[in-house]
Amino acid sequence: GQNIDQPTEMTATEGAIVQINCTYQTSGFNGLFWYQQHAGEAPTFLSYNVLDGLEEKGRFSSFLSRSKGYSYLLLKELQMKDSASYLCAAMDSNYQLIWGAGTKLIIKP
Amino acid sequence: TAGITQAPTSQILAAGRSMTLRCTQDMRHNAMYWYRQDLGLGLRLIHYSNTAGTTGKGEVPDGYSVSRANTDDFPLTLASAVPSQTSVYFCASSDSISGGANEQFFGPGTRLTVL
């Protein structure tokens, strides 16, 4: 079956760095997406990886290892506004997104 | 531009009643999607449409129907609501269903409670 695993909740300190891991198993693979979702709001796109390696975009970076079925989202210089859920989603061979349950990130001052 | 709009924002519905959740996008995207989001679960795809005039079933289509008469609108209908359909419903769109970093844009969601 198809499955996405990510931690349910993480806590980090303002100004620090946090890494949110995601492992996936899909029928075929057409890329890995990360979305941010603030409480009560819609998900918004953060990053996309389809090749192995690190993609950097400002304070956020995303890494992919296709051979290991593994990705992580790295958030640097954490700010209070980064408190949100982070959703990992893998695109399968039918171009449908398989979503993880999300990681709730709590930032403490 | 508005992006994607959904209506209503929230609704309480009696079991057995029918309801249509509305979704409109102004980005001229070809592909549109309906998801439900439940606590502790990932977003689950209900139905999708690759382009106007075509629709397809997602992971959890039972009890729901959709239509795609034009590019902009993608309504979701619950013919006879049941309590297990209590959820937050998100409509999304993307330029196409495949090809590269084809991010999906989400509407603000409809919070539906079926009693």
Side-chain angles (χ1 to χ4, degrees):
Chain A
Q2 306 197 102
N3 190 54
I4 306 287
D5 284 317
Q6 54 181 130
T8 302
E9 187 175 296
M10 299 182 70
T11 301
T13 304
E14 189 177 15
I17 299 173
V18 70
Q19 177 175 313
I20 303 174
N21 296 324
C22 170
T23 58
Y24 63 89
Q25 288 180 312
T26 54
S27 300
F29 180 74
N30 282 297
L32 193 292
F33 292 78
W34 284 95
Y35 281 75
Q36 180 189 59
Q37 185 177 25
H38 285 101
E41 297 183 6
T44 55
F45 171 78
L46 287 177
S47 68
Y48 170 77
N49 295 68
V50 68
L51 300 177
D52 285 356
L54 188 68
E55 295 278 344
E56 297 185 77
K57 191 185 294 185
R59 293 190 299 114
F60 292 7
S61 302
S62 56
F63 171 83
L64 176 68
S65 169
R66 294 177 64 136
S67 63
K68 295 182 179 178
Y70 167 71
S71 173
Y72 67 73
L73 181 69
L74 191 71
L75 291 75
K76 303 176 184 176
E77 300 169 15
L78 286 169
Q79 302 176 9
M80 297 304 294
K81 67 179 182 180
D82 297 330
S83 292
S85 288
Y86 292 86
L87 314 181
C88 174
M91 182 169 277
D92 69 12
S93 58
N94 293 319
Y95 298 100
Q96 290 189 4
L97 286 177
I98 311 302
W99 295 82
T103 298
K104 182 178 181 180
L105 178 63
I106 300 168
I107 310 295
K108 294 186 176 180
Chain B
T1 57
I4 301 184
T5 58
Q6 293 184 234
T9 301
S10 65
Q11 182 75 44
I12 299 174
L13 186 67
R17 300 295 296 267
S18 67
M19 178 173 184
T20 295
L21 280 61
R22 300 185 298 278
C23 174
T24 299
Q25 54 105 356
D26 64 2
M27 297 176 282
R28 307 304 292 172
H29 282 169
N30 288 306
M32 296 188 75
Y33 317 83
W34 273 106
Y35 292 96
R36 59 178 291 172
Q37 187 174 41
D38 302 291
L39 198 62
L41 299 177
L43 288 161
R44 291 183 292 169
L45 183 65
I46 304 170
H47 285 286
Y48 65 93
S49 169
N50 292 344
T51 189
T54 68
T55 62
K57 294 181 179 180
E59 179 186 357
V60 289
D62 293 344
Y64 306 94
S65 64
V66 292
S67 61
R68 186 89 184 276
N70 57 60
T71 297
D72 299 345
D73 301 301
F74 192 43
L76 177 74
T77 297
L78 288 68
S80 179
V82 295
S84 62
Q85 291 178 311
T86 293
S87 188
V88 179
Y89 291 86
F90 286 104
C91 179
S93 73
S94 63
D95 187 43
S96 69
I97 199 164
S98 63
N102 206 356
E103 64 182 280
Q104 294 183 11
F105 294 82
F106 285 79
T110 293
R111 185 174 297 274
L112 179 66
T113 303
V114 182
L115 300 176

